[in-house]
Amino acid sequence: MQTEILQRLTRVETKLDMQLDARDKAAEALQSAKAAHHRQDESKQRLEEMDKHYDHEIRLLNARVETEAAALNARIEAEARAAAERLKAEQRERKTDRHWLIGIMFTAGSLIIAAFKLF
């Protein structure tokens, strides 16, 4: 009878040790999960800070690109206007040259006709 009681007590003690061991492992797993969650929160916070920082940097770069693009467009438009003015001036000069040439030709023709009439 005593051996049977000892065997049962041994089994109960073994089960109790197993439950205590399982509880310790569960507590350890809970601590590990809490630490992982804390690390995840820290990573999320750092990621949000980086996101805000780079959003700000991207906005600054976009503003700079837009400013430089506007300045470049203004320079291109000014150069195009200057080129158009030069082209118009050259066309006026050629027109004036043609008028002068036509006037010279009429004068020369008139002088030649007058010279033939004199002889």
Side-chain angles (χ1 to χ4, degrees), residues 48-71:
E48 287 174 357
E49 288 172 2
M50 289 172 56
D51 193 34
K52 288 178 186 176
H53 172 75
Y54 287 113
D55 277 348
H56 178 68
E57 291 294 321
I58 288 170
R59 273 190 233 110
L60 290 175
L61 286 173
N62 283 341
R64 185 174 173 191
V65 166
E66 288 174 4
T67 301
E68 289 181 13

Short mmCIF file of all heavy atoms in Angstrom, two decimals, residues 48-71:
data_model
loop_
_atom_site.label_atom_id
_atom_site.label_comp_id
_atom_site.label_asym_id
_atom_site.label_seq_id
_atom_site.Cartn_x
_atom_site.Cartn_y
_atom_site.Cartn_z
N GLU A 48 8.21 55.70 -38.99
CA GLU A 48 7.35 56.87 -39.15
C GLU A 48 8.17 58.15 -39.15
O GLU A 48 7.92 59.07 -39.93
CB GLU A 48 6.30 56.90 -38.06
CG GLU A 48 5.20 55.87 -38.22
CD GLU A 48 4.24 55.81 -37.04
OE1 GLU A 48 4.45 56.54 -36.05
OE2 GLU A 48 3.29 55.02 -37.13
N GLU A 49 9.19 58.22 -38.27
CA GLU A 49 10.06 59.40 -38.23
C GLU A 49 10.82 59.55 -39.55
O GLU A 49 10.93 60.66 -40.09
CB GLU A 49 11.04 59.30 -37.06
CG GLU A 49 10.39 59.49 -35.71
CD GLU A 49 11.35 59.19 -34.56
OE1 GLU A 49 12.53 58.86 -34.82
OE2 GLU A 49 10.90 59.28 -33.41
N MET A 50 11.34 58.43 -40.06
CA MET A 50 12.06 58.47 -41.34
C MET A 50 11.11 58.87 -42.46
O MET A 50 11.48 59.65 -43.34
CB MET A 50 12.69 57.11 -41.63
CG MET A 50 13.86 56.79 -40.74
SD MET A 50 14.48 55.10 -40.90
CE MET A 50 14.83 54.99 -42.64
N ASP A 51 9.89 58.36 -42.42
CA ASP A 51 8.89 58.69 -43.44
C ASP A 51 8.61 60.19 -43.43
O ASP A 51 8.59 60.83 -44.48
CB ASP A 51 7.62 57.89 -43.18
CG ASP A 51 6.66 57.92 -44.34
OD1 ASP A 51 7.14 57.96 -45.50
OD2 ASP A 51 5.45 57.89 -44.10
N LYS A 52 8.41 60.74 -42.24
CA LYS A 52 8.17 62.19 -42.13
C LYS A 52 9.37 62.98 -42.64
O LYS A 52 9.22 63.96 -43.37
CB LYS A 52 7.88 62.57 -40.68
CG LYS A 52 6.53 62.13 -40.19
CD LYS A 52 6.34 62.49 -38.73
CE LYS A 52 5.05 61.92 -38.17
NZ LYS A 52 4.91 62.19 -36.74
N HIS A 53 10.57 62.53 -42.24
CA HIS A 53 11.78 63.24 -42.66
C HIS A 53 11.92 63.24 -44.19
O HIS A 53 12.14 64.27 -44.81
CB HIS A 53 13.01 62.58 -42.02
CG HIS A 53 14.31 63.10 -42.54
ND1 HIS A 53 14.81 64.33 -42.19
CD2 HIS A 53 15.20 62.57 -43.41
CE1 HIS A 53 15.95 64.53 -42.81
NE2 HIS A 53 16.22 63.48 -43.56
N TYR A 54 11.77 62.05 -44.78
CA TYR A 54 11.95 61.97 -46.23
C TYR A 54 10.79 62.60 -46.99
O TYR A 54 11.00 63.11 -48.08
CB TYR A 54 12.20 60.52 -46.67
CG TYR A 54 13.59 60.09 -46.28
CD1 TYR A 54 13.80 59.11 -45.32
CD2 TYR A 54 14.70 60.69 -46.85
CE1 TYR A 54 15.09 58.74 -44.96
CE2 TYR A 54 15.98 60.33 -46.49
CZ TYR A 54 16.17 59.35 -45.54
OH TYR A 54 17.43 59.00 -45.19
N ASP A 55 9.58 62.60 -46.40
CA ASP A 55 8.50 63.34 -47.04
C ASP A 55 8.85 64.81 -47.12
O ASP A 55 8.65 65.46 -48.14
CB ASP A 55 7.18 63.16 -46.27
CG ASP A 55 6.45 61.90 -46.62
OD1 ASP A 55 6.82 61.25 -47.62
OD2 ASP A 55 5.50 61.55 -45.89
N HIS A 56 9.40 65.34 -46.02
CA HIS A 56 9.81 66.75 -45.99
C HIS A 56 10.92 66.99 -47.01
O HIS A 56 10.87 67.97 -47.75
CB HIS A 56 10.28 67.11 -44.58
CG HIS A 56 10.76 68.51 -44.44
ND1 HIS A 56 9.90 69.59 -44.54
CD2 HIS A 56 12.00 69.03 -44.26
CE1 HIS A 56 10.60 70.71 -44.41
NE2 HIS A 56 11.87 70.39 -44.24
N GLU A 57 11.90 66.10 -47.05
CA GLU A 57 13.00 66.25 -48.02
C GLU A 57 12.48 66.20 -49.45
O GLU A 57 12.90 66.98 -50.30
CB GLU A 57 14.04 65.14 -47.80
CG GLU A 57 14.82 65.25 -46.51
CD GLU A 57 15.71 66.48 -46.47
OE1 GLU A 57 16.31 66.82 -47.50
OE2 GLU A 57 15.78 67.10 -45.39
N ILE A 58 11.56 65.29 -49.71
CA ILE A 58 11.00 65.17 -51.06
C ILE A 58 10.23 66.44 -51.42
O ILE A 58 10.33 66.94 -52.55
CB ILE A 58 10.11 63.91 -51.16
CG1 ILE A 58 11.00 62.67 -51.16
CG2 ILE A 58 9.25 63.94 -52.42
CD1 ILE A 58 10.25 61.36 -51.02
N ARG A 59 9.47 66.98 -50.47
CA ARG A 59 8.75 68.23 -50.75
C ARG A 59 9.73 69.35 -51.07
O ARG A 59 9.50 70.14 -52.00
CB ARG A 59 7.88 68.61 -49.55
CG ARG A 59 6.52 67.96 -49.60
CD ARG A 59 5.57 68.54 -48.55
NE ARG A 59 5.05 67.41 -47.81
CZ ARG A 59 5.34 67.10 -46.56
NH1 ARG A 59 6.11 67.87 -45.85
NH2 ARG A 59 4.84 66.03 -45.99
N LEU A 60 10.82 69.44 -50.31
CA LEU A 60 11.83 70.47 -50.58
C LEU A 60 12.45 70.29 -51.96
O LEU A 60 12.63 71.26 -52.70
CB LEU A 60 12.92 70.44 -49.51
CG LEU A 60 12.53 70.92 -48.11
CD1 LEU A 60 13.69 70.72 -47.14
CD2 LEU A 60 12.11 72.37 -48.14
N LEU A 61 12.77 69.04 -52.31
CA LEU A 61 13.35 68.78 -53.63
C LEU A 61 12.35 69.11 -54.74
O LEU A 61 12.74 69.69 -55.76
CB LEU A 61 13.79 67.32 -53.74
CG LEU A 61 15.06 66.96 -52.98
CD1 LEU A 61 15.29 65.46 -53.03
CD2 LEU A 61 16.26 67.70 -53.53
N ASN A 62 11.09 68.76 -54.55
CA ASN A 62 10.07 69.08 -55.55
C ASN A 62 9.96 70.58 -55.73
O ASN A 62 9.85 71.07 -56.86
CB ASN A 62 8.72 68.48 -55.16
CG ASN A 62 8.64 67.00 -55.43
OD1 ASN A 62 9.42 66.46 -56.19
ND2 ASN A 62 7.71 66.34 -54.79
N ALA A 63 9.97 71.32 -54.63
CA ALA A 63 9.88 72.78 -54.72
C ALA A 63 11.10 73.33 -55.46
O ALA A 63 10.97 74.22 -56.31
CB ALA A 63 9.79 73.39 -53.32
N ARG A 64 12.26 72.78 -55.16
CA ARG A 64 13.48 73.24 -55.83
C ARG A 64 13.44 72.93 -57.32
O ARG A 64 13.79 73.77 -58.16
CB ARG A 64 14.69 72.57 -55.18
CG ARG A 64 16.00 73.04 -55.71
CD ARG A 64 17.13 72.43 -54.93
NE ARG A 64 18.40 72.75 -55.55
CZ ARG A 64 19.54 72.22 -55.23
NH1 ARG A 64 19.58 71.32 -54.26
NH2 ARG A 64 20.64 72.55 -55.84
N VAL A 65 12.99 71.73 -57.67
CA VAL A 65 12.90 71.35 -59.08
C VAL A 65 11.90 72.25 -59.80
O VAL A 65 12.16 72.71 -60.92
CB VAL A 65 12.50 69.85 -59.21
CG1 VAL A 65 12.05 69.52 -60.61
CG2 VAL A 65 13.65 68.97 -58.79
N GLU A 66 10.76 72.51 -59.16
CA GLU A 66 9.76 73.39 -59.79
C GLU A 66 10.31 74.79 -59.99
O GLU A 66 10.09 75.40 -61.04
CB GLU A 66 8.50 73.41 -58.95
CG GLU A 66 7.70 72.11 -59.01
CD GLU A 66 6.53 72.10 -58.04
OE1 GLU A 66 6.27 73.13 -57.38
OE2 GLU A 66 5.88 71.05 -57.96
N THR A 67 11.05 75.30 -59.01
CA THR A 67 11.63 76.64 -59.12
C THR A 67 12.64 76.68 -60.26
O THR A 67 12.63 77.61 -61.08
CB THR A 67 12.32 77.03 -57.80
OG1 THR A 67 11.36 76.99 -56.76
CG2 THR A 67 12.91 78.41 -57.88
N GLU A 68 13.52 75.67 -60.30
CA GLU A 68 14.53 75.64 -61.36
C GLU A 68 13.89 75.43 -62.73
O GLU A 68 14.33 76.01 -63.72
CB GLU A 68 15.56 74.55 -61.07
CG GLU A 68 16.45 74.91 -59.90
CD GLU A 68 17.50 73.86 -59.60
OE1 GLU A 68 17.70 72.95 -60.44
OE2 GLU A 68 18.12 73.95 -58.53
N ALA A 69 12.82 74.63 -62.79
CA ALA A 69 12.13 74.42 -64.06
C ALA A 69 11.48 75.72 -64.53
O ALA A 69 11.53 76.05 -65.72
CB ALA A 69 11.08 73.31 -63.92
N ALA A 70 10.89 76.47 -63.60
CA ALA A 70 10.27 77.74 -63.97
C ALA A 70 11.33 78.72 -64.47
O ALA A 70 11.12 79.42 -65.47
CB ALA A 70 9.52 78.32 -62.77
N ALA A 71 12.48 78.76 -63.78
CA ALA A 71 13.56 79.65 -64.21
C ALA A 71 14.08 79.24 -65.59
O ALA A 71 14.33 80.09 -66.45
CB ALA A 71 14.70 79.63 -63.19
#
